[in-house]
Amino acid sequence: MSADTQIRPFRIEIPQADLDDLKDRLARTRWPQESPEQGWGRGVPLGYLKDLVAYWADGFDWRAQEAALNEIPQFMTTIDGQDVHFMHVRSPEPDAFPLILTHGWPSSPIEFRKVVERLTDPAPTAATLRTPSTWSSPRCRATGSPLPCGPAGATCSGSRRRGRS
């Protein structure tokens, strides 16, 4: 966590050693015996889990995902002692309507990636909004949840169940 309240650029740059370590740990997975009960009644089916681990170890291209994520301008700041990561795309239109998109848990602002161009593109088409927007999507760095966040170690207040009205 940083005490720096300045807005600072952020890029996802996972060290290769971390990715190699993950692949090594996945390769050393100690598998349980298959459950005699078929389906999901006693948890994740072993075959499904093995396929998922194989995909993460050998099929998932982290560098391609990292590059795609870094196409969207990202920043960090500190608010009330909590590191906050956000993506911010400014429309080229000077009178663009500011828009903040937040997400729930478990989710991430990357789910908005497909709509960013439509929201910020000044050239209207049938598939875009008629008014361009400047787009931001903040998230709590500690938990990945949308703002607001509590003190260090606390869950984000947006993830707490609230009474219904």
Side-chain angles (χ1 to χ4, degrees), residues 66-85:
E66 190 176 69
L69 292 167
N70 283 330
E71 287 177 4
I72 298 175
Q74 300 178 56
F75 302 90
M76 293 286 290
T77 192
T78 303
I79 300 173
D80 293 336
Q82 178 67 56
D83 282 343
V84 177
H85 165 264

Side-chain angles (χ1 to χ4, degrees), residues 14-44:
I14 305 300
Q16 186 60 45
D18 290 355
L19 298 176
D20 293 343
D21 177 60
L22 173 61
K23 187 171 183 173
D24 179 61
R25 286 183 289 134
L26 291 171
R28 290 184 290 112
T29 299
R30 293 173 46 195
W31 299 106
Q33 290 183 342
E34 180 72 70
S35 171
E37 185 176 316
Q38 296 297 311
W40 292 75
R42 293 193 174 241
V44 178

Side-chain angles (χ1 to χ4, degrees), residues 9 11-12 48 52 54 56 59 77 81 94 98 101 114 120 126 133 142 147 151-152 156-158 161:
R11 289 185 53 81
I12 300 168
Y48 180 90
L52 181 62
W56 273 98
T77 192
L101 300 175
K114 293 180 181 179
T120 58
S133 303
L147 294 177
C156 290
S157 61
R161 182 175 288 278

Side-chain angles (χ1 to χ4, degrees), residues 66-139:
E66 190 176 69
L69 292 167
N70 283 330
E71 287 177 4
I72 298 175
Q74 300 178 56
F75 302 90
M76 293 286 290
T77 192
T78 303
I79 300 173
D80 293 336
Q82 178 67 56
D83 282 343
V84 177
H85 165 264
F86 63 98
M87 299 174 167
H88 182 78
V89 179
R90 185 176 296 278
S91 171
E93 296 296 311
D95 60 345
F97 183 78
L99 177 65
I100 295 176
L101 300 175
T102 60
H103 59 87
W105 178 259
S107 184
S108 83
I110 199 59
E111 293 178 2
F112 302 133
R113 196 174 97 206
K114 293 180 181 179
V115 299
V116 170
E117 187 174 345
R118 291 181 184 177
L119 291 172
T120 58
D121 186 354
T125 67
T128 63
L129 295 175
R130 298 291 179 204
T131 305
S133 303
T134 293
W135 175 81
S136 289
S137 179
R139 76 178 173 94

